[in-house]
Amino acid sequence: MRKPVVISALSSTAVLGLGGALTTIGPWYFSLRKPSWQPPGWAFGPAWTVIGGTTAWAAVTGWDALTTRRQRTTLLCLFAANGAVNVAWTVLFFNRQRPDLALREVVLLWLSIAALLVDLATVSRRAAWLMAPYLAWVSFAAYLNLVIVRLNPSVRPS
């Protein structure tokens, strides 16, 4: 197996695994008021699995299309930053129990995905399109986060 495929798969798995490990679904989460249209809990695992797969595929496709070391370094930095802000959202929302701060942070997550999509689009339309499910899901999740903050004003600091 080619090295970029292995690294991409392991990196995606690490980000998703860390995010999953840091997600604490307990009394605090269950006490939150949530909109009726929130997907059921079981849907999040499959959604993130698809997103992890398409993101890893986008990384390899983009990597293969790049021709310079500088381009590849930029791509690696963008993916590393994305992984960091992805995990940070989970920490803020679930561990710190601060959906209000997670709502601010999700803007950074969304921007990091958009930056990846734009960067990849310069070399591979396929790689850019492979990022679209991730951007769509985080857009939906950001709106869900906003609604949860509005439905639960007591979880915000006074």
Side-chain angles (χ1 to χ4, degrees), residues 75-100:
L75 185 65
L76 289 175
C77 289
L78 288 171
F79 270 108
N82 173 261
V85 294
N86 185 309
V87 171
W89 183 91
T90 300
V91 169
L92 289 170
F93 192 96
F94 289 103
N95 295 99
R96 301 272 317 274
Q97 300 178 356
R98 293 292 306 267
D100 58 319

Side-chain angles (χ1 to χ4, degrees), residues 17-95:
L18 185 57
L22 293 171
T23 300
T24 305
I25 305 292
W28 172 82
Y29 179 77
F30 289 119
S31 73
L32 292 174
R33 293 180 57 213
K34 298 173 213 70
S36 61
W37 47 264
Q38 177 176 318
W42 62 262
F44 288 86
W48 277 111
T49 300
V50 169
I51 289 163
T54 58
T55 301
W57 187 7
V60 172
T61 303
W63 182 268
D64 289 345
L66 297 173
T67 57
T68 69
R69 183 180 186 96
R70 183 170 188 207
Q71 289 175 316
R72 287 181 168 174
T73 299
T74 298
L75 185 65
L76 289 175
C77 289
L78 288 171
F79 270 108
N82 173 261
V85 294
N86 185 309
V87 171
W89 183 91
T90 300
V91 169
L92 289 170
F93 192 96
F94 289 103
N95 295 99

